[in-house]
Amino acid sequence: KAGVTQTPRYLIKTRGQQVTLSCSPISGHRSVSWYQQTPGQGLQFLFEYFSETQRNKGNFPGRFSGRQFSNSRSEMNVSTLELGDSALYLCASMRQAGTDTQYFGPGTRLTVL
Amino acid sequence: AQTVTQSQPEMSVQEAETVTLSCTYDTSESDYYLFWYKQPPSRQMILVIRQEAYKQQNATENRFSVNFQKAAKSFSLKISDSQLGDAAMYFCAYRANFGNEKLTFGTGTRLTIIP
């Protein structure tokens, strides 16, 4: 079974631009979560989607948004990029909820210049 | 709010020896999950082991085992017969059982294996 895939793997943007990252979960997984990883703040939860609905949201500004499609693929969008948005963005999928484990993708490394 | 603390930023161990990574957490919940994830350099996060809080028996996965002390809110990872491929950042993570699937991570421990 294929793992979680994320595209693109690397991205360079400039301040003020917007960016969209994509995540395809493991087949059969309906929950997708997004995390931001930086050297200073560590791993922080952004949001979680299940069956196209956002169930949980972390403490990030409204510039960070996401969505999930009917095939469980998810996208996250960051508008008006700031230098501090430079990070590794990790996506994790889970079969449903409750007892399951989250499996991570390789991440998208975003650099904001 | 739940917090996870890893007090050892770096650890090193000789190949074939045993090493223990520490993790403590704080929660008011009685039912939850704990995880150890491994993140090799420039590679993706891999699940090492997980523990359900309601289970008293410590989880084991081959060379990896945990010492789960619920009352002390401690969750350490023991790696036996360390191998070069074990070199990585190790993150301890907490997740509530219901209602919130978010993982709360510790700051990580960088493990170096000395040949």
Side-chain angles (χ1 to χ4, degrees):
Chain A
K1 188 182 276 191
V4 179
T5 58
Q6 293 187 244
T7 56
R9 293 291 309 279
Y10 302 91
L11 206 48
I12 299 175
K13 292 285 187 179
T14 56
R15 277 181 299 175
Q17 287 186 309
Q18 76 165 19
V19 66
T20 299
L21 312 182
S22 180
C23 171
S24 293
I26 293 170
S27 177
H29 285 199
R30 297 168 62 192
S31 167
V32 173
S33 296
W34 289 89
Y35 295 84
Q36 182 195 64
Q37 185 176 23
T38 61
Q41 299 298 317
L43 283 147
Q44 294 186 290
F45 172 77
L46 281 154
F47 28 65
E48 187 241 349
Y49 287 87
F50 181 81
S51 291
E52 303 179 64
T53 301
Q54 186 183 89
R55 288 199 299 192
N56 297 292
K57 189 177 191 304
N59 190 23
F60 278 81
R63 300 185 297 107
F64 291 82
S65 63
R67 59 178 175 168
Q68 186 180 35
F69 302 95
S70 58
N71 62 358
S72 294
R73 189 178 70 85
S74 177
E75 290 181 346
M76 68 163 280
N77 183 276
V78 188
S79 62
T80 318
L81 284 166
E82 301 177 359
L83 295 179
D85 297 334
S86 293
L88 181 66
Y89 289 89
L90 295 168
C91 163
S93 80
M94 186 166 65
R95 190 152 43 89
Q96 37 189 16
T99 62
D100 286 336
T101 296
Q102 293 183 22
Y103 296 92
F104 284 82
T108 294
R109 185 164 295 282
L110 171 65
T111 302
V112 182
L113 302 176
Chain B
Q2 293 82 14
T3 58
V4 177
T5 302
Q6 293 180 249
S7 59
Q8 307 154 313
E10 296 185 355
M11 292 279 286
S12 61
V13 63
Q14 294 276 354
E15 195 175 359
E17 296 295 308
T18 296
V19 65
T20 299
L21 308 184
S22 301
C23 172
T24 58
Y25 58 95
D26 188 27
T27 182
S28 57
E29 303 289 335
S30 60
D31 199 10
Y32 48 86
Y33 295 88
L34 296 165
F35 304 84
W36 279 98
Y37 283 91
K38 163 186 175 182
Q39 188 177 40
S42 301
R43 295 180 67 182
Q44 70 190 76
M45 195 88 70
I46 302 166
L47 175 70
V48 175
I49 200 166
R50 87 173 203 174
Q51 174 81 43
E52 291 88 342
Y54 64 86
K55 289 186 178 179
Q56 294 188 347
Q57 187 173 7
N58 289 325
T60 62
E61 285 289 340
N62 301 314
R63 299 182 294 108
F64 299 87
S65 61
V66 298
N67 184 3
F68 173 49
Q69 302 289 326
K70 190 172 184 179
K73 296 180 181 174
S74 169
F75 182 61
S76 60
L77 174 69
K78 186 171 82 171
I79 306 174
S80 304
D81 185 26
S82 297
Q83 300 175 359
L84 294 178
D86 294 334
M89 280 291 284
Y90 285 81
F91 292 96
C92 177
Y94 164 99
R95 198 192 84 208
N97 191 7
F98 294 110
N100 192 335
E101 309 305 334
K102 127 186 170 179
L103 285 167
T104 300
F105 287 90
T107 51
T109 297
R110 183 175 302 281
L111 178 64
T112 300
I113 310 297
I114 303 167

